[in-house]
Amino acid sequence: MTLSARPSTSRMHPAHPVDTMRIEAALVKVAMLVAEDAAFAPIFERLEAELAAAVKKERRLSEAQRRARALLAQKAMRATSVATCSSDAPLPYRSRSSR
């Protein structure tokens, strides 16, 4: 049996997405191991760093979604405002005095 030089695809694309809840669960499990044997400390530290990065990423994406929704709402309000004030607007929005 020969070993492949390529990394396995399952390692590159985990079956379950890595999120903060999974990292926190792993951190608790590894904490129990570290409490018994300091040899697991590097894994614990790596998980702490991964958790911090995941939290930061979730916050960044959440903030981007909030800004995107605000932008879309602003554009929708502007489009509605222009349509109701313009004499070039479709008939249901045109005031009766300008017909």
Side-chain angles (χ1 to χ4, degrees):
M1 181 172 165
T2 62
L3 294 176
S4 172
R6 281 188 325 178
S8 72
T9 55
S10 63
R11 187 170 178 105
M12 293 174 65
H13 302 287
H16 302 286
V18 179
D19 60 4
T20 55
M21 289 177 51
R22 290 192 68 206
I23 297 171
E24 286 171 347
L27 195 58
V28 170
K29 290 176 184 177
V30 174
M32 289 188 279
L33 295 171
V34 172
E36 297 298 319
D37 185 354
F40 292 99
I43 298 169
F44 183 80
E45 291 171 340
R46 168 74 185 269
L47 286 170
E48 284 181 318
E50 292 288 334
L51 180 60
V55 167
K56 185 177 179 180
K57 181 179 178 180
E58 284 182 4
R59 284 184 184 149
R60 191 184 79 241
L61 293 176
S62 177
E63 181 62 18
Q65 271 189 317
R66 185 198 61 76
R67 291 191 318 268
R69 289 179 181 137
L71 177 65
L72 292 173
Q74 183 182 32
K75 293 291 184 185
M77 290 294 289
R78 205 176 283 154
T80 302
S81 167
V82 169
T84 57
C85 296
S86 173
S87 62
D88 297 331
L91 284 175
Y93 297 106
R94 206 180 286 172
S95 69
R96 296 200 186 274
S97 62
S98 64
R99 286 189 196 173

